[in-house]
Amino acid sequence: MCSKTNERATRLHEPGRVCRELLYLRSKVVYLFDFQPVREVPAFTFQALQPNTVVKPPPKIDIFKRKPVKETVFKIYFNRGDIPCVMSGRSSKQDPTKERPVKWHCVPENLDYCYYLPIFVDGLADMDYDTRLLAVNGAIDLIMRSPKKVLPVLPKLILPLKRAFQTRDKRIIISALQVIQLMVRLGPCVGQALVPFYRQLLAVCNLYKNINVNLGEGIDPDRNCRIGDVIEDTLKLLEYCGGPNAFINIKYMVPTYESSVFPRCEAPVPR
């Protein structure tokens, strides 16, 4: 109660936000005998049970943070001169199936694909642009020249592709997805052989699947440069060429994916 009758009417009214802040600060005041400052302690320790302590919150994790690879196997072989090709020009970004600007020191069809193709695919994760460009063009050229040799080498390509996806770099992920698309299109039975490896390859695709541009009725000329559209095209191709078990395995890793081969609901049969 106010000591004076008119004191309540003459006192300045404080807004609600100030009152809430004062109440919050009053609830946080710690009355101690020695007035020690509040300490931050790690969680799940005996220190958290001590008085005048505050549990330290968990650190924030950036799931899209880039994780560059220090040095790839392709870079090591390239520095010591064991790569049998060099760049002779610039590649066409519009159509990756055109003739690659790679100059080979030997006949590419005579190379041991079990040895050289995993090395070229490992170069997709390199952070150096020129080195990565040579690896991408060399891998695509080897796949186009002898598609039938890709299937025996496929288990050795899973680990380099997974390393490229784990870099979380959009340019590297797009290059790796384009190599997968080319292998599935040209290599016989490669799409069905990739089904057991979806759990190693499609985990990152679930993060970047919805990163695209909504243009409505417009046409995007840079579709091959947007990671969301490239992932969508890759999943559709894997489902189309992966056989009857492809959709359920893709759905397990990418729950928001909708089938492009089997309709979601069938039309009623006319009587």
Side-chain angles (χ1 to χ4, degrees):
M1 296 296 294
C2 297
S3 59
K4 296 181 181 181
T5 307
N6 298 329
E7 183 179 353
R8 184 183 297 273
T10 58
R11 186 172 55 182
L12 294 177
H13 176 69
E14 295 179 351
R17 181 176 59 84
V18 177
C19 296
R20 287 193 298 270
E21 291 180 356
L22 291 175
L23 292 174
Y24 176 76
L25 293 176
R26 184 181 299 175
S27 63
K28 293 298 181 181
V29 172
V30 180
Y31 296 98
L32 296 177
F33 181 76
D34 51 353
F35 298 97
Q36 294 180 358
V38 179
R39 296 182 296 113
E40 276 193 356
V41 296
F44 307 106
T45 60
F46 287 102
Q47 298 178 4
L49 303 177
Q50 298 175 357
N52 198 25
T53 56
V54 176
V55 177
K56 187 177 181 181
K60 295 183 179 179
I61 300 176
D62 186 7
I63 59 176
F64 298 104
K65 183 180 179 180
R66 295 182 181 180
K67 301 177 182 178
V69 179
K70 294 182 179 180
E71 193 173 20
T72 59
V73 179
F74 180 82
K75 187 67 172 293
I76 297 175
Y77 279 62
F78 179 75
N79 290 334
R80 68 186 189 186
D82 290 344
I83 301 299
C85 66
V86 292
M87 291 293 297
S88 61
R90 292 294 179 181
S91 63
S92 176
K93 297 182 179 179
Q94 301 297 331
D95 190 2
T97 60
K98 290 184 178 179
E99 184 179 358
R100 315 308 297 178
V102 180
K103 182 179 179 181
W104 295 90
H105 301 307
C106 60
V107 181
E109 291 82 355
N110 297 335
L111 292 175
D112 186 6
Y113 272 53
C114 294
Y115 179 78
Y116 280 102
L117 189 56
I119 295 177
F120 277 93
V121 176
D122 184 78
L124 301 178
D126 201 294
M127 301 305 297
D128 187 15
Y129 175 76
D130 295 332
T131 306
R132 186 172 68 251
L133 185 64
L134 177 61
V136 172
N137 287 280
I140 292 177
D141 199 12
L142 287 176
I143 294 172
M144 293 180 60
R145 288 177 180 269
S146 296
K148 60 182 179 180
K149 294 183 180 181
V150 176
L151 184 60
V153 198
L154 191 61
K156 295 184 179 181
L157 303 180
I158 302 304
L159 190 59
L161 290 173
K162 183 179 179 180
R163 189 181 297 113
F165 288 141
Q166 288 178 348
T167 58
R168 306 294 175 89
D169 193 331
K170 295 181 181 180
R171 298 171 299 176
I172 295 177
I173 295 176
I174 289 175
S175 301
L177 290 174
Q178 290 177 350
V179 171
I180 292 177
Q181 291 181 13
L182 191 63
M183 289 192 301
V184 173
R185 285 197 187 101
L186 301 182
C189 301
V190 173
Q192 298 180 5
L194 275 175
V195 174
F197 304 106
Y198 283 173
R199 296 189 179 185
Q200 286 79 21
L201 300 178
L202 302 184
V204 180
C205 296
N206 190 27
L207 298 177
Y208 296 92
K209 180 178 180 297
N210 296 326
I211 302 180
N212 51 16
V213 179
N214 187 5
L215 299 179
E217 298 179 355
I219 299 176
D220 188 6
D222 298 330
R223 183 177 177 85
N224 294 330
C225 299
R226 304 192 185 279
I227 186 169
D229 298 331
V230 176
I231 290 175
E232 188 71 22
D233 296 341
T234 305
L235 295 179
K236 290 180 180 179
L237 185 62
L238 290 176
E239 183 189 3
Y240 183 77
C241 301
N245 297 327
F247 173 69
I248 190 170
N249 287 275
I250 294 175
K251 191 73 173 178
Y252 180 80
M253 298 303 301
V254 187
T256 58
Y257 175 74
E258 294 294 338
S259 176
S260 60
V261 178
F262 302 100
R264 183 166 52 183
C265 56
E266 299 180 357
V269 180
R271 295 181 179 179

